[in-house]
Amino acid sequence: MGGLPRGGVAAARGEDSHASIVIDLADSYRGATRTITLRAPEADARGRVVTRERNLDVSIPKGVTEGQQLRLSGQGQPGRGGAAAGDLYLEIHFKPDPRYRVEGRDVFATVPVAPWEAALGAQIDVPTPSGTVTVTVPEHSQGGRKLRLKGRGVPGNPAGDLYLLLELVLPPAHSARARELYETMAKEMAFNPRQKMGA
């Protein structure tokens, strides 16, 4: 015969819970462990509903993306009558980083370069979420040129790419020597950046 279990409480699986966690972009490249604090209503010994806090260590797998949900089995609301607890769904968000913009698994960054590096070509060191890499700036590059580093985006199958947008930065003409160099360039190079505009 069926009936209620001892104590008169019908068995029922616990409800699923939802929470979010903010991680650094670098955490998605390497994986990480983070501790989160969960607040959940529980019944105390007298049957009153109280809010309790508990800490939970969460393993962030390598290659997670913005908005992805991690399912943590049995970490949701407790079940009733001895039934299993629900699951916790943890939504991933990246901490804002002024150096990078993320689209899916692709990562975008702006890299300042000097005029001579762009004109003559250069090997430059660029910090990335996975560490510093040496990048070749092709000669005759212009500001706005995009360099693609295949597989240097967020890890995955396949991994995303890292796109570097070149930004020309001019040295200031604060000193007499700097002004002299600019004046020499103006005389000898006969360069008109507005030529294509018909100027």
Side-chain angles (χ1 to χ4, degrees):
M1 293 178 60
L4 295 178
R6 184 178 301 173
V9 178
R13 179 183 180 277
E15 293 184 1
D16 293 335
S17 298
H18 297 266
S20 60
I21 184 172
V22 178
I23 65 173
D24 294 322
L25 177 59
D27 292 338
S28 72
Y29 275 73
R30 298 186 293 262
T33 299
R34 295 288 178 264
T35 300
I36 62 173
T37 300
L38 299 175
R39 296 177 179 85
E42 292 183 8
D44 64 12
R46 297 183 179 181
R48 295 176 301 186
V49 176
V50 295
T51 300
R52 299 194 187 280
E53 291 187 353
R54 62 187 177 98
N55 292 330
L56 181 65
D57 290 331
V58 178
S59 177
I60 307 296
K62 180 178 177 179
V64 293
T65 56
E66 175 76 25
Q68 181 177 338
Q69 288 194 342
L70 302 181
R71 176 175 171 265
L72 305 180
S73 180
Q75 296 298 332
Q77 299 295 325
R80 292 180 299 175
D87 299 331
L88 171 63
Y89 290 87
L90 197 60
E91 187 169 345
I92 298 293
H93 294 285
F94 291 142
K95 184 183 300 181
D97 190 324
R99 298 172 297 175
Y100 307 111
R101 177 171 58 88
V102 183
E103 293 183 5
R105 293 192 181 277
D106 292 334
V107 180
F108 299 81
T110 299
V111 179
V113 293
W116 49 87
E117 291 174 328
L120 305 177
Q123 297 278 322
I124 61 174
D125 291 334
V126 178
T128 76
S130 59
T132 300
V133 296
T134 300
V135 176
T136 299
V137 177
E139 62 180 13
H140 311 306
S141 290
Q142 296 288 336
R145 180 168 187 168
K146 189 183 294 183
L147 305 181
R148 177 189 179 206
L149 303 186
K150 185 175 175 59
R152 286 282 187 169
V154 175
N157 188 21
D161 298 328
L162 175 63
Y163 293 92
L164 303 178
L165 189 68
L166 300 184
E167 178 185 42
L168 285 182
V169 179
L170 302 178
H174 292 334
S175 67
R177 177 57 177 160
R179 291 184 63 85
E180 181 183 339
L181 290 172
Y182 274 121
E183 289 167 359
T184 300
M185 289 174 61
K187 292 175 184 177
E188 297 188 4
M189 299 189 73
F191 174 65
N192 181 3
R194 294 167 298 282
Q195 186 173 5
K196 292 182 179 180
M197 300 174 62

